[in-house]
Amino acid sequence: MSRIAGGIFTSHVPGIGGAIAKGLQQDPYWKPFFDGFDPVHQWLAEEKPDVAVVFYNDHGLNFFLDKMPTFAIGAAAEYRHEDEGWGIAFQRPFEGHQDLSWHIIEQVVASEFDPVTCQSMLVDHAVAVPFELCWPGKEAFPLKLIPIAINTVQHPLPSPRRCYNLGQAVGRAIESWEGDEKVVIFGTGGLSHQLEGGRAGHINVDYDKFCLRNLAPDPEALLQHDTLDIVELAGSQGVEILNWIAARGAMCGSVRELASNYHIPISNTAAATVLLENSDKVHA
Ligand code: DHB
Ligand code: FE
């Protein structure tokens, strides 16, 4: 039976890709953010997960405004990053896990979700930046990818509870998989940020800290704000917290925070990295 070992939650600001390309990890602007990955590297070296299930939002690379699924699940043999305009030159491909992808798809459909199924799929900075942060260097990524895209871009967006429930369905599907893979869940994006309009640069430390405080012990606290409340609180891109909410929903065991880092700003974003451990299956 496969097992969810933990969750990694991180901002996916594309500028991080530029900083990696230029080797700026020790630069005073970047160091406080990159240092937040030390415990993540240590944990990954110990746990060596086989599969990453990544909740993220596509920013116009694979889906555009003309065709925007609320939920989409990858079922490809391989995924590739392409630069959607940020100048990021990541080259490493992402190996897929088609059998587990289809099992997840079958199970979430049985749970009455209706995802778009993607047998070919490009992934943008919201997948590639977190992978590069977690596994720096040039070697092939040491695990397989299952990408799950949530629409955080074109309204109407799904509700936080719907995203949480999707995450729970994905978590149950992983636990019912017959293989013995060890799985790490990712939630990418956030925390508060707004890139455009009169509130460009908006950051809400109180809301971010509320999310960070409750993510491990009481994730349902994050469901008290609806999606438009979150746009108001956290900014029009801060609503990427929906990816974190779905990812937290997938962690169905006994969850404990191992590390948390919060740093303002990286580009326009209140950047955060959280590592959660998931132990003892208790899911119904
Ligand atoms: C930035 C943050 C994002 O989440 C994103 O997708 C693009 C840009 C930023 O702060 O620059
Ligand atoms: Fe984003």
Side-chain angles (χ1 to χ4, degrees):
M1 213 182 58
S2 59
R3 188 172 79 73
I4 297 169
I8 297 169
F9 301 75
T10 182
S11 308
H12 59 218
V13 179
I16 298 163
I20 292 171
K22 293 185 196 127
L24 297 179
Q25 291 88 340
Q26 297 303 315
D27 181 276
Y29 180 85
W30 293 100
K31 187 173 166 40
F33 175 73
F34 279 97
D35 282 354
F37 276 81
D38 291 348
V40 175
H41 295 153
Q42 204 180 327
W43 184 83
L44 287 169
E46 281 162 18
E47 291 289 338
K48 298 186 177 49
D50 306 296
V51 185
V53 174
V54 180
F55 293 89
Y56 74 107
N57 60 294
D58 183 272
H59 299 71
L61 176 71
N62 194 74
F63 306 113
F64 198 59
L65 303 182
D66 58 336
K67 297 180 197 69
M68 181 58 73
T70 301
F71 300 126
I73 303 183
E78 187 182 89
Y79 305 88
R80 289 200 165 264
H81 169 260
E82 269 184 23
D83 180 28
E84 79 276 26
W86 298 102
I88 306 175
F90 295 146
Q91 296 295 340
R92 289 188 278 178
F94 306 84
E95 189 184 350
H97 190 323
Q98 286 181 295
D99 290 344
L100 182 51
S101 280
W102 281 113
H103 174 74
I104 291 172
I105 289 164
E106 281 166 13
Q107 295 301 309
V108 303
V109 170
S111 297
E112 305 195 339
F113 286 90
D114 310 297
V116 170
T117 55
C118 301
Q119 298 188 65
S120 69
M121 194 175 194
L122 293 171
V123 291
D124 70 8
H125 64 273
V127 172
V129 164
F131 262 55
E132 295 285 341
L133 283 164
C134 286
W135 295 280
K138 296 207 176 337
E139 284 173 27
F141 293 120
L143 79 180
K144 295 179 179 177
L145 167 66
I146 298 179
I148 302 184
I150 295 178
N151 172 25
T152 69
V153 171
Q154 175 158 270
H155 292 262
L157 310 184
S159 71
R161 183 165 296 280
R162 185 78 177 144
C163 295
Y164 190 70
N165 290 350
L166 172 73
Q168 288 186 312
V170 170
R172 286 194 302 270
I174 293 166
E175 288 189 340
S176 69
W177 172 240
E178 62 195 10
D180 59 2
E181 288 88 341
K182 196 187 274 191
V183 177
V184 58
I185 305 288
F186 278 75
T188 92
L191 289 179
S192 58
H193 63 301
Q194 171 147 340
L195 302 177
E196 77 289 313
R199 286 207 314 169
H202 172 77
I203 279 177
N204 183 340
V205 175
D206 288 343
Y207 177 72
D208 291 341
K209 297 235 157 132
F210 160 81
C211 292
L212 291 170
R213 201 168 54 244
N214 286 293
L215 185 69
D218 185 14
E220 302 216 5
L222 276 65
L223 310 184
Q224 70 186 258
H225 304 109
D226 73 20
T227 299
L228 292 178
D229 289 338
I230 296 176
V231 171
E232 179 97 37
L233 285 163
S236 49
Q237 284 76 36
V239 76
E240 291 175 345
I241 191 74
L242 291 175
N243 305 325
W244 288 44
I245 289 172
R248 179 63 184 85
M251 300 182 64
C252 28
S254 151
V255 173
R256 189 166 66 100
E257 182 183 294
L258 298 182
S260 179
N261 187 41
Y262 182 66
H263 176 67
I264 301 173
I266 290 297
S267 183
N268 291 294
T269 298
T273 305
V274 177
L275 172 63
L276 302 185
E277 174 190 65
N278 184 65
S279 56
D280 322 309
K281 184 181 110 139
V282 290
H283 224 26

PDB file of all heavy atoms in Angstrom, residues 182-212:
ATOM      1  N   LYS A 182       6.196   5.584  -1.800  1.00  0.00           N
ATOM      2  CA  LYS A 182       6.135   6.630  -0.775  1.00  0.00           C
ATOM      3  C   LYS A 182       5.857   7.949  -1.501  1.00  0.00           C
ATOM      4  O   LYS A 182       6.540   8.283  -2.476  1.00  0.00           O
ATOM      5  CB  LYS A 182       7.463   6.693  -0.029  1.00  0.00           C
ATOM      6  CG  LYS A 182       7.374   7.455   1.268  1.00  0.00           C
ATOM      7  CD  LYS A 182       8.728   7.644   1.873  1.00  0.00           C
ATOM      8  CE  LYS A 182       9.146   6.475   2.736  1.00  0.00           C
ATOM      9  NZ  LYS A 182      10.360   6.810   3.527  1.00  0.00           N
ATOM     10  N   VAL A 183       4.868   8.680  -1.013  1.00  0.00           N
ATOM     11  CA  VAL A 183       4.380   9.867  -1.742  1.00  0.00           C
ATOM     12  C   VAL A 183       4.627  11.126  -0.919  1.00  0.00           C
ATOM     13  O   VAL A 183       4.417  11.142   0.299  1.00  0.00           O
ATOM     14  CB  VAL A 183       2.870   9.721  -2.041  1.00  0.00           C
ATOM     15  CG1 VAL A 183       2.319  10.959  -2.736  1.00  0.00           C
ATOM     16  CG2 VAL A 183       2.611   8.476  -2.892  1.00  0.00           C
ATOM     17  N   VAL A 184       5.075  12.176  -1.579  1.00  0.00           N
ATOM     18  CA  VAL A 184       5.091  13.505  -0.965  1.00  0.00           C
ATOM     19  C   VAL A 184       4.079  14.372  -1.717  1.00  0.00           C
ATOM     20  O   VAL A 184       3.972  14.320  -2.936  1.00  0.00           O
ATOM     21  CB  VAL A 184       6.511  14.132  -0.989  1.00  0.00           C
ATOM     22  CG1 VAL A 184       7.071  14.244  -2.402  1.00  0.00           C
ATOM     23  CG2 VAL A 184       6.505  15.495  -0.308  1.00  0.00           C
ATOM     24  N   ILE A 185       3.303  15.122  -0.936  1.00  0.00           N
ATOM     25  CA  ILE A 185       2.296  16.030  -1.505  1.00  0.00           C
ATOM     26  C   ILE A 185       2.905  17.439  -1.562  1.00  0.00           C
ATOM     27  O   ILE A 185       3.588  17.857  -0.622  1.00  0.00           O
ATOM     28  CB  ILE A 185       1.043  16.079  -0.593  1.00  0.00           C
ATOM     29  CG1 ILE A 185       0.483  14.677  -0.335  1.00  0.00           C
ATOM     30  CG2 ILE A 185      -0.013  17.032  -1.151  1.00  0.00           C
ATOM     31  CD1 ILE A 185      -0.204  14.039  -1.498  1.00  0.00           C
ATOM     32  N   PHE A 186       2.650  18.147  -2.628  1.00  0.00           N
ATOM     33  CA  PHE A 186       3.067  19.551  -2.724  1.00  0.00           C
ATOM     34  C   PHE A 186       1.834  20.450  -2.871  1.00  0.00           C
ATOM     35  O   PHE A 186       0.883  20.098  -3.591  1.00  0.00           O
ATOM     36  CB  PHE A 186       3.922  19.791  -3.980  1.00  0.00           C
ATOM     37  CG  PHE A 186       5.373  19.441  -3.858  1.00  0.00           C
ATOM     38  CD1 PHE A 186       5.782  18.132  -3.862  1.00  0.00           C
ATOM     39  CD2 PHE A 186       6.332  20.449  -3.771  1.00  0.00           C
ATOM     40  CE1 PHE A 186       7.120  17.794  -3.769  1.00  0.00           C
ATOM     41  CE2 PHE A 186       7.679  20.132  -3.684  1.00  0.00           C
ATOM     42  CZ  PHE A 186       8.082  18.807  -3.678  1.00  0.00           C
ATOM     43  N   GLY A 187       1.877  21.598  -2.218  1.00  0.00           N
ATOM     44  CA  GLY A 187       0.952  22.697  -2.503  1.00  0.00           C
ATOM     45  C   GLY A 187       1.809  23.897  -2.855  1.00  0.00           C
ATOM     46  O   GLY A 187       2.674  24.294  -2.063  1.00  0.00           O
ATOM     47  N   THR A 188       1.621  24.473  -4.040  1.00  0.00           N
ATOM     48  CA  THR A 188       2.516  25.577  -4.435  1.00  0.00           C
ATOM     49  C   THR A 188       1.742  26.875  -4.659  1.00  0.00           C
ATOM     50  O   THR A 188       0.545  26.869  -4.947  1.00  0.00           O
ATOM     51  CB  THR A 188       3.361  25.224  -5.692  1.00  0.00           C
ATOM     52  OG1 THR A 188       2.697  25.654  -6.883  1.00  0.00           O
ATOM     53  CG2 THR A 188       3.687  23.743  -5.767  1.00  0.00           C
ATOM     54  N   GLY A 189       2.453  27.992  -4.517  1.00  0.00           N
ATOM     55  CA  GLY A 189       1.860  29.311  -4.718  1.00  0.00           C
ATOM     56  C   GLY A 189       1.770  30.089  -3.418  1.00  0.00           C
ATOM     57  O   GLY A 189       2.285  29.657  -2.391  1.00  0.00           O
ATOM     58  N   GLY A 190       1.098  31.238  -3.474  1.00  0.00           N
ATOM     59  CA  GLY A 190       0.964  32.045  -2.265  1.00  0.00           C
ATOM     60  C   GLY A 190       2.329  32.486  -1.732  1.00  0.00           C
ATOM     61  O   GLY A 190       3.340  32.281  -2.372  1.00  0.00           O
ATOM     62  N   LEU A 191       2.393  33.048  -0.548  1.00  0.00           N
ATOM     63  CA  LEU A 191       1.191  33.418   0.211  1.00  0.00           C
ATOM     64  C   LEU A 191       0.660  34.735  -0.374  1.00  0.00           C
ATOM     65  O   LEU A 191       0.573  34.822  -1.574  1.00  0.00           O
ATOM     66  CB  LEU A 191       1.524  33.501   1.703  1.00  0.00           C
ATOM     67  CG  LEU A 191       1.796  32.100   2.347  1.00  0.00           C
ATOM     68  CD1 LEU A 191       2.153  32.201   3.799  1.00  0.00           C
ATOM     69  CD2 LEU A 191       0.626  31.132   2.129  1.00  0.00           C
ATOM     70  N   SER A 192       0.344  35.742   0.465  1.00  0.00           N
ATOM     71  CA  SER A 192      -0.368  36.882  -0.113  1.00  0.00           C
ATOM     72  C   SER A 192       0.467  37.566  -1.206  1.00  0.00           C
ATOM     73  O   SER A 192       1.665  37.762  -1.062  1.00  0.00           O
ATOM     74  CB  SER A 192      -0.750  37.882   0.981  1.00  0.00           C
ATOM     75  OG  SER A 192       0.366  38.344   1.697  1.00  0.00           O
ATOM     76  N   HIS A 193      -0.169  37.858  -2.302  1.00  0.00           N
ATOM     77  CA  HIS A 193       0.430  38.693  -3.346  1.00  0.00           C
ATOM     78  C   HIS A 193      -0.604  39.095  -4.376  1.00  0.00           C
ATOM     79  O   HIS A 193      -1.583  38.391  -4.596  1.00  0.00           O
ATOM     80  CB  HIS A 193       1.648  38.042  -4.016  1.00  0.00           C
ATOM     81  CG  HIS A 193       1.431  36.762  -4.779  1.00  0.00           C
ATOM     82  ND1 HIS A 193       0.929  35.614  -4.222  1.00  0.00           N
ATOM     83  CD2 HIS A 193       1.699  36.434  -6.078  1.00  0.00           C
ATOM     84  CE1 HIS A 193       0.919  34.631  -5.131  1.00  0.00           C
ATOM     85  NE2 HIS A 193       1.363  35.108  -6.261  1.00  0.00           N
ATOM     86  N   GLN A 194      -0.363  40.261  -4.955  1.00  0.00           N
ATOM     87  CA  GLN A 194      -1.195  40.742  -6.060  1.00  0.00           C
ATOM     88  C   GLN A 194      -0.256  41.421  -7.043  1.00  0.00           C
ATOM     89  O   GLN A 194       0.540  42.284  -6.671  1.00  0.00           O
ATOM     90  CB  GLN A 194      -2.270  41.712  -5.547  1.00  0.00           C
ATOM     91  CG  GLN A 194      -3.013  42.389  -6.677  1.00  0.00           C
ATOM     92  CD  GLN A 194      -4.472  42.686  -6.369  1.00  0.00           C
ATOM     93  OE1 GLN A 194      -5.081  42.105  -5.472  1.00  0.00           O
ATOM     94  NE2 GLN A 194      -5.055  43.594  -7.133  1.00  0.00           N
ATOM     95  N   LEU A 195      -0.350  41.000  -8.298  1.00  0.00           N
ATOM     96  CA  LEU A 195       0.614  41.460  -9.295  1.00  0.00           C
ATOM     97  C   LEU A 195       0.121  42.648 -10.111  1.00  0.00           C
ATOM     98  O   LEU A 195       0.915  43.314 -10.770  1.00  0.00           O
ATOM     99  CB  LEU A 195       0.981  40.309 -10.247  1.00  0.00           C
ATOM    100  CG  LEU A 195       1.574  39.068  -9.577  1.00  0.00           C
ATOM    101  CD1 LEU A 195       1.839  37.974 -10.610  1.00  0.00           C
ATOM    102  CD2 LEU A 195       2.844  39.408  -8.821  1.00  0.00           C
ATOM    103  N   GLU A 196      -1.195  42.885 -10.109  1.00  0.00           N
ATOM    104  CA  GLU A 196      -1.708  43.886 -11.046  1.00  0.00           C
ATOM    105  C   GLU A 196      -2.697  44.828 -10.362  1.00  0.00           C
ATOM    106  O   GLU A 196      -3.163  44.564  -9.259  1.00  0.00           O
ATOM    107  CB  GLU A 196      -2.382  43.208 -12.252  1.00  0.00           C
ATOM    108  CG  GLU A 196      -3.776  42.646 -11.977  1.00  0.00           C
ATOM    109  CD  GLU A 196      -3.774  41.425 -11.085  1.00  0.00           C
ATOM    110  OE1 GLU A 196      -2.987  40.515 -11.325  1.00  0.00           O
ATOM    111  OE2 GLU A 196      -4.563  41.375 -10.133  1.00  0.00           O
ATOM    112  N   GLY A 197      -3.011  45.914 -11.063  1.00  0.00           N
ATOM    113  CA  GLY A 197      -4.076  46.822 -10.624  1.00  0.00           C
ATOM    114  C   GLY A 197      -3.650  47.724  -9.480  1.00  0.00           C
ATOM    115  O   GLY A 197      -2.484  47.800  -9.103  1.00  0.00           O
ATOM    116  N   GLY A 198      -4.651  48.388  -8.923  1.00  0.00           N
ATOM    117  CA  GLY A 198      -4.395  49.386  -7.878  1.00  0.00           C
ATOM    118  C   GLY A 198      -3.797  48.813  -6.620  1.00  0.00           C
ATOM    119  O   GLY A 198      -3.139  49.537  -5.861  1.00  0.00           O
ATOM    120  N   ARG A 199      -4.025  47.532  -6.382  1.00  0.00           N
ATOM    121  CA  ARG A 199      -3.470  46.931  -5.164  1.00  0.00           C
ATOM    122  C   ARG A 199      -2.195  46.133  -5.452  1.00  0.00           C
ATOM    123  O   ARG A 199      -1.789  45.297  -4.628  1.00  0.00           O
ATOM    124  CB  ARG A 199      -4.501  46.007  -4.505  1.00  0.00           C
ATOM    125  CG  ARG A 199      -5.640  46.717  -3.803  1.00  0.00           C
ATOM    126  CD  ARG A 199      -6.215  45.860  -2.680  1.00  0.00           C
ATOM    127  NE  ARG A 199      -6.446  44.484  -3.084  1.00  0.00           N
ATOM    128  CZ  ARG A 199      -6.747  43.495  -2.249  1.00  0.00           C
ATOM    129  NH1 ARG A 199      -6.875  43.740  -0.960  1.00  0.00           N
ATOM    130  NH2 ARG A 199      -6.950  42.269  -2.684  1.00  0.00           N
ATOM    131  N   ALA A 200      -1.570  46.339  -6.602  1.00  0.00           N
ATOM    132  CA  ALA A 200      -0.318  45.621  -6.909  1.00  0.00           C
ATOM    133  C   ALA A 200       0.651  45.797  -5.738  1.00  0.00           C
ATOM    134  O   ALA A 200       0.805  46.906  -5.217  1.00  0.00           O
ATOM    135  CB  ALA A 200       0.292  46.162  -8.193  1.00  0.00           C
ATOM    136  N   GLY A 201       1.246  44.718  -5.331  1.00  0.00           N
ATOM    137  CA  GLY A 201       2.163  44.759  -4.192  1.00  0.00           C
ATOM    138  C   GLY A 201       1.492  44.470  -2.861  1.00  0.00           C
ATOM    139  O   GLY A 201       2.157  44.431  -1.823  1.00  0.00           O
ATOM    140  N   HIS A 202       0.172  44.232  -2.893  1.00  0.00           N
ATOM    141  CA  HIS A 202      -0.571  43.979  -1.651  1.00  0.00           C
ATOM    142  C   HIS A 202      -0.035  42.740  -0.926  1.00  0.00           C
ATOM    143  O   HIS A 202       0.140  41.683  -1.532  1.00  0.00           O
ATOM    144  CB  HIS A 202      -2.050  43.769  -1.980  1.00  0.00           C
ATOM    145  CG  HIS A 202      -2.885  43.323  -0.815  1.00  0.00           C
ATOM    146  ND1 HIS A 202      -3.297  44.182   0.181  1.00  0.00           N
ATOM    147  CD2 HIS A 202      -3.368  42.098  -0.475  1.00  0.00           C
ATOM    148  CE1 HIS A 202      -4.010  43.500   1.072  1.00  0.00           C
ATOM    149  NE2 HIS A 202      -4.063  42.234   0.698  1.00  0.00           N
ATOM    150  N   ILE A 203       0.220  42.894   0.359  1.00  0.00           N
ATOM    151  CA  ILE A 203       0.641  41.768   1.206  1.00  0.00           C
ATOM    152  C   ILE A 203      -0.123  41.881   2.519  1.00  0.00           C
ATOM    153  O   ILE A 203      -0.346  42.992   3.017  1.00  0.00           O
ATOM    154  CB  ILE A 203       2.178  41.805   1.423  1.00  0.00           C
ATOM    155  CG1 ILE A 203       2.879  41.190   0.198  1.00  0.00           C
ATOM    156  CG2 ILE A 203       2.588  41.056   2.696  1.00  0.00           C
ATOM    157  CD1 ILE A 203       4.376  41.219   0.228  1.00  0.00           C
ATOM    158  N   ASN A 204      -0.553  40.751   3.068  1.00  0.00           N
ATOM    159  CA  ASN A 204      -1.337  40.750   4.306  1.00  0.00           C
ATOM    160  C   ASN A 204      -0.694  39.762   5.290  1.00  0.00           C
ATOM    161  O   ASN A 204      -0.974  38.567   5.272  1.00  0.00           O
ATOM    162  CB  ASN A 204      -2.790  40.353   3.989  1.00  0.00           C
ATOM    163  CG  ASN A 204      -3.687  40.399   5.218  1.00  0.00           C
ATOM    164  OD1 ASN A 204      -3.208  40.357   6.355  1.00  0.00           O
ATOM    165  ND2 ASN A 204      -4.984  40.470   4.990  1.00  0.00           N
ATOM    166  N   VAL A 205       0.181  40.320   6.115  1.00  0.00           N
ATOM    167  CA  VAL A 205       0.941  39.478   7.051  1.00  0.00           C
ATOM    168  C   VAL A 205       0.006  38.751   8.017  1.00  0.00           C
ATOM    169  O   VAL A 205       0.214  37.570   8.330  1.00  0.00           O
ATOM    170  CB  VAL A 205       1.964  40.342   7.836  1.00  0.00           C
ATOM    171  CG1 VAL A 205       2.677  39.506   8.891  1.00  0.00           C
ATOM    172  CG2 VAL A 205       2.967  40.973   6.890  1.00  0.00           C
ATOM    173  N   ASP A 206      -1.040  39.430   8.468  1.00  0.00           N
ATOM    174  CA  ASP A 206      -1.946  38.802   9.448  1.00  0.00           C
ATOM    175  C   ASP A 206      -2.620  37.576   8.846  1.00  0.00           C
ATOM    176  O   ASP A 206      -2.703  36.524   9.488  1.00  0.00           O
ATOM    177  CB  ASP A 206      -3.024  39.794   9.913  1.00  0.00           C
ATOM    178  CG  ASP A 206      -2.441  40.866  10.820  1.00  0.00           C
ATOM    179  OD1 ASP A 206      -1.327  40.654  11.330  1.00  0.00           O
ATOM    180  OD2 ASP A 206      -3.103  41.905  10.987  1.00  0.00           O
ATOM    181  N   TYR A 207      -3.108  37.710   7.625  1.00  0.00           N
ATOM    182  CA  TYR A 207      -3.768  36.555   6.996  1.00  0.00           C
ATOM    183  C   TYR A 207      -2.762  35.435   6.732  1.00  0.00           C
ATOM    184  O   TYR A 207      -3.043  34.255   6.985  1.00  0.00           O
ATOM    185  CB  TYR A 207      -4.468  36.971   5.691  1.00  0.00           C
ATOM    186  CG  TYR A 207      -5.100  35.777   4.996  1.00  0.00           C
ATOM    187  CD1 TYR A 207      -6.235  35.172   5.520  1.00  0.00           C
ATOM    188  CD2 TYR A 207      -4.526  35.235   3.845  1.00  0.00           C
ATOM    189  CE1 TYR A 207      -6.806  34.051   4.911  1.00  0.00           C
ATOM    190  CE2 TYR A 207      -5.082  34.123   3.230  1.00  0.00           C
ATOM    191  CZ  TYR A 207      -6.218  33.538   3.769  1.00  0.00           C
ATOM    192  OH  TYR A 207      -6.759  32.425   3.156  1.00  0.00           O
ATOM    193  N   ASP A 208      -1.574  35.792   6.250  1.00  0.00           N
ATOM    194  CA  ASP A 208      -0.547  34.768   5.993  1.00  0.00           C
ATOM    195  C   ASP A 208      -0.219  34.007   7.276  1.00  0.00           C
ATOM    196  O   ASP A 208      -0.130  32.776   7.280  1.00  0.00           O
ATOM    197  CB  ASP A 208       0.739  35.413   5.465  1.00  0.00           C
ATOM    198  CG  ASP A 208       0.573  35.987   4.068  1.00  0.00           C
ATOM    199  OD1 ASP A 208      -0.380  35.601   3.367  1.00  0.00           O
ATOM    200  OD2 ASP A 208       1.414  36.831   3.679  1.00  0.00           O
ATOM    201  N   LYS A 209      -0.053  34.760   8.373  1.00  0.00           N
ATOM    202  CA  LYS A 209       0.319  34.100   9.641  1.00  0.00           C
ATOM    203  C   LYS A 209      -0.825  33.221  10.150  1.00  0.00           C
ATOM    204  O   LYS A 209      -0.592  32.169  10.746  1.00  0.00           O
ATOM    205  CB  LYS A 209       0.732  35.148  10.681  1.00  0.00           C
ATOM    206  CG  LYS A 209       1.986  35.911  10.235  1.00  0.00           C
ATOM    207  CD  LYS A 209       3.100  35.856  11.251  1.00  0.00           C
ATOM    208  CE  LYS A 209       4.446  36.100  10.588  1.00  0.00           C
ATOM    209  NZ  LYS A 209       5.294  37.067  11.233  1.00  0.00           N
ATOM    210  N   PHE A 210      -2.039  33.677   9.920  1.00  0.00           N
ATOM    211  CA  PHE A 210      -3.210  32.853  10.260  1.00  0.00           C
ATOM    212  C   PHE A 210      -3.152  31.519   9.504  1.00  0.00           C
ATOM    213  O   PHE A 210      -3.358  30.443  10.087  1.00  0.00           O
ATOM    214  CB  PHE A 210      -4.486  33.643   9.912  1.00  0.00           C
ATOM    215  CG  PHE A 210      -5.713  32.807   9.744  1.00  0.00           C
ATOM    216  CD1 PHE A 210      -6.438  32.376  10.848  1.00  0.00           C
ATOM    217  CD2 PHE A 210      -6.161  32.437   8.465  1.00  0.00           C
ATOM    218  CE1 PHE A 210      -7.578  31.584  10.686  1.00  0.00           C
ATOM    219  CE2 PHE A 210      -7.288  31.654   8.302  1.00  0.00           C
ATOM    220  CZ  PHE A 210      -7.990  31.218   9.418  1.00  0.00           C
ATOM    221  N   CYS A 211      -2.845  31.578   8.206  1.00  0.00           N
ATOM    222  CA  CYS A 211      -2.757  30.338   7.409  1.00  0.00           C
ATOM    223  C   CYS A 211      -1.618  29.457   7.918  1.00  0.00           C
ATOM    224  O   CYS A 211      -1.792  28.239   8.091  1.00  0.00           O
ATOM    225  CB  CYS A 211      -2.538  30.657   5.932  1.00  0.00           C
ATOM    226  SG  CYS A 211      -3.951  31.451   5.145  1.00  0.00           S
ATOM    227  N   LEU A 212      -0.471  30.066   8.165  1.00  0.00           N
ATOM    228  CA  LEU A 212       0.694  29.276   8.594  1.00  0.00           C
ATOM    229  C   LEU A 212       0.443  28.622   9.954  1.00  0.00           C
ATOM    230  O   LEU A 212       0.821  27.479  10.187  1.00  0.00           O
ATOM    231  CB  LEU A 212       1.940  30.173   8.662  1.00  0.00           C
ATOM    232  CG  LEU A 212       2.447  30.662   7.296  1.00  0.00           C
ATOM    233  CD1 LEU A 212       3.530  31.733   7.478  1.00  0.00           C
ATOM    234  CD2 LEU A 212       2.983  29.504   6.465  1.00  0.00           C
TER     235      LEU A 212
END
